[in-house]
Amino acid sequence: LPHPRKAAGASNESCNSLASHPSNGTVVAGYSDKEIRIFDVHTGSLLHHMTTHIEAVTSVTIDPSGVYLATVGHDCSLRIWNIEDKSCTQEMTAHQKKFDEAILTVAFHPSQTFIATGGSDSTIKLYQ
C-alpha cells in the first residue's frame, strides 16, 4: 500500500463518506460542513468542492456508469447530481428526522436501475 497523505483542500470537518469513481481517477468525499469535495487520487489535489445540502452530508455514492452521484444528508434529502456538469438533476425528501439525524446511507445497485437509502427513522427506501 502507498503511504497515506492528507489530500490538499481536505476540510477540518468530519468526512462522513467516500466514493471512488469507476473510471476517472477521482474520489468524492461527503463532509459534515454540507459540502462534497472531489479529489484526484493520483495527486491528492482538490479538483472541485460545492455545498450540496443544508445540513451535513452523510453518504455519497457513484452509479456504476460514473455519470451520476447521489448524496444524502441530515436535511432528509436525497439528491442526484450529474458528475460532469455538477448540476442537481433530482431532489427528494426521503426520510424523517430522528434525534437530529435523517438519512445515513445511500447506494446505487450495481446492475439495476435503483437507489437505496437507509435512515435513522429505521426505514430502508428504494427508488427507481
Side-chain angles (χ1 to χ4, degrees), residues 1-127:
L1 291 175
H3 296 288
R5 63 180 182 264
K6 184 174 180 178
S11 173
N12 289 329
E13 296 288 329
S14 297
C15 178
N16 296 327
S17 183
L18 296 169
S20 296
H21 193 280
S23 62
N24 75 4
T26 60
V27 170
V28 178
Y31 285 86
S32 61
D33 65 359
K34 311 170 199 171
E35 288 197 352
I36 63 155
R37 290 171 178 80
I38 301 173
F39 297 96
D40 182 296
V41 297
H42 304 292
T43 66
S45 62
L46 177 66
L47 301 175
H48 186 76
H49 71 95
M50 64 186 193
T51 300
T52 56
H53 288 267
I54 58 173
E55 293 188 36
V57 178
T58 54
S59 187
V60 298
T61 187
I62 298 172
D63 80 299
S65 69
V67 174
Y68 296 104
L69 166 72
T71 63
V72 295
H74 288 320
D75 59 3
C76 302
S77 70
L78 162 63
R79 297 178 185 188
I80 309 298
W81 304 86
N82 178 297
I83 292 176
E84 185 175 326
D85 67 14
K86 316 296 187 281
S87 64
C88 184
T89 62
Q90 193 168 8
E91 177 184 355
M92 61 194 84
T93 300
H95 291 264
Q96 294 183 348
K97 276 199 173 208
K98 182 178 180 181
F99 305 118
D100 292 328
E101 293 184 338
I103 309 172
L104 303 175
T105 189
V106 62
F108 279 99
H109 189 278
S111 62
Q112 297 182 23
T113 58
F114 70 82
I115 300 171
T117 59
S120 61
D121 59 0
S122 303
T123 62
I124 296 170
K125 297 187 178 187
L126 303 176
Y127 304 89

